[in-house]
Amino acid sequence: MLRALMVVVAASRRYLKLDLRYRFELTVNALLLIVNIVSFGLMGHFVMATNPELVSYPYHLFLLTGIFYWTVVSNGFTSSIFTLREEMERGTIGFLLSNGVSPAVITLSRMITTTVVALGLSTAIAIPALLISSGGSCPAPPASAGWALKLATSLMLPWLFMLAVAISFTALQLVFKRTGGLAGAVHGVLGIASGLNFPPQAIPLLGEALSKLPTAVGLRAFRELMVFGESPSLQPTLSRILTPLTAEWSLVFVTAAFLAASFILLAKVEEVTRRWGTIEQY
Amino acid sequence: MIEGACAEEEAVKVVGLVKEVRGKRGERLRVLDNVNLKAPAGARVAVIGPSGCGKTVLFKVLSTIYAPDRGEVKVLGLDVVKQAGKVRRLVSFVSPSLGFHKKMSLDETLKFLSKVQGSNPEVAYRFLDFIKMDGLRERMIEGFSAGQLAAVRLAVGLMKQPKLLLLDEPTANLDVARKELVVEYLSRNVGDATMMIVDHDPKVVNRLCNQAVLMQAGGRVVKTCDYQSLLKSFPFKYRFNLKVYSGPRLSKDAISKLGYPFQVMGNVVRFLLSSKEELKGLVEKLIDKKGLLSFEVSSISMEDIYYWMSQQVNEAAPSVAEPLVGKAAATACNSKDAKSPPA
């Protein structure tokens, strides 16, 4: 376990070093974030003009907090899909396997690195954008250590949920090698279902169920904390965590269940592809 | 000492190994067919066979990258399926397909890979220094030649200081001088580790190995034996290398009529002779022939046996050397030894 952790740390540092060597890509990602912020901000104003009852606070803040959140929580997912493919093409998978390192380590390491970079970029760009566009009221000043803890929880547990999705895709890639636009589609659908563009409760039939997704729960709590300084929708007490189908229960148990299931799936797929003789082919 | 690891005779034990890989549309292709072999601890084993006969797949099974479909495979007493984690700590597989990220320096690459292995990068640097590749620590991998990358792969494999070292064409792409240094290093510094090597250079195999596993197309082991008994049982004692002028001065028919098994390699005709009388007889027959430049006589070496064995198993693959012809060839192809499990 300790060695696995050391490998994750070493791999994350390696990916960070590599990312910092591709400055054009870093610049493009920062510019894309700015473009996202501006376009979502503009979209927010236009949508508010025609749908003033959508949320109880300025819609552009709804969108901008969503961008920050989704950039931090989900960028690692898309980068990990490409990274596994790169390692397969480079012929590293066989080496890693023969040294007891699972492809899950590549996924996790890549996600950690991308999230750290995304957090840095988002904090540097999105927070000032929020401050400016809200006239200084957003993000709401932290009221307590509890605020910071809730904010961290609203980001970390959904991140682990996205890790579970990424691990599942790792398993898919070991079998099918290329997954085409599926990862992008899943990423997009999850974003919409989590409430990136509008509250998920607005979706007919599935709205209530989708609002229980860990990413949806986390995003709602994150928005409330950033705009109002408190999160009525997330009260992580033991009784609420243990009560099925509450937001807190979903955030903890659905995430844990997905994570466990994804690792079990990956272990099974590794075993099968080792037997097929295709595990390190690309 | 890894719990369960066998500290005694057998480093590798393979019994009835069958390995099939999945091809297009799910069909199964058998690449290893009822393979039986044993390698004692500390042995230096050459795995010889034509391209595509399953040598690399065998190494991948031993290094736990592939799981066997049938049979028993044990490395140092540990089962490669049930105790894969322990096996991985003891085995190092040097594969020519291992790539490195081009935007990292050698130092960064070795440090990262040493963390993956749980090893010390200084071991790799000692090897690289020995083969005169010092001073490259800060160079980016993208600036390395194919030969340098081959050396780095070998360094990564040696860095682990394994109990079983599997080398798949480790000297491919190396220049002559570096190859010599690599062979010298491997012959002196592997210690009591068991080494299994696939290399198409018979000189490398000759220097490094004392055992041979002969495989044929279809993934079957034809023969396993140590070099001493191979030398003793080899039907030929002398090698007679005859250099001829290029061009049709001495035809194959004329050579064939001399009545001794031969191979043609460019403008060299190699005869394999079993006694001094045959040697005298051949010299007498050649003395009046035209088109001859020079000849050289020496005792049989492992290089000759390597070529001979390669020819025996190379049923379909093309060869630089012409197939061995002549009356002794038939007696030398001892079919009783084919496919028998090792003692």
Side-chain angles (χ1 to χ4, degrees), chain A residues 3 6-7 10-11 14 17-18 21-22 86 90-92 94-101 271 274-281, chain B residues 19-22 60 63-69 80 88 97-101 103-104 108 112-113 115-118 140 156 160:
Chain A
R3 203 168 83 77
M6 284 170 61
V7 174
R14 173 180 175 246
K17 271 187 200 166
L18 283 166
R21 282 181 192 159
Y22 290 96
E86 276 173 15
R90 204 173 295 128
T92 321
F95 172 82
L96 293 171
L97 289 169
S98 64
N99 284 281
V101 176
E271 186 193 317
R274 277 180 61 217
R275 216 165 270 288
W276 285 349
T278 59
I279 188 164
E280 32 93 73
Q281 289 174 10
Chain B
K19 181 72 209 139
E20 294 173 341
V21 294
R22 209 162 168 255
K60 286 183 179 176
S63 58
T64 76
I65 295 173
Y66 292 167
D69 291 304
V80 297
R88 285 166 183 160
S97 62
L98 174 62
F100 308 107
H101 206 295
K103 290 291 183 192
M104 304 212 60
E108 288 168 335
F112 169 66
L113 296 176
K115 285 273 187 316
V116 172
Q117 289 177 338
M140 290 294 182
V156 170
K160 200 174 176 181

Side-chain angles (χ1 to χ4, degrees), chain B residues 53 157 159 271 288 307 318:
Chain B
C53 73
M159 186 165 67
F271 294 93
D288 292 320
Y307 275 124

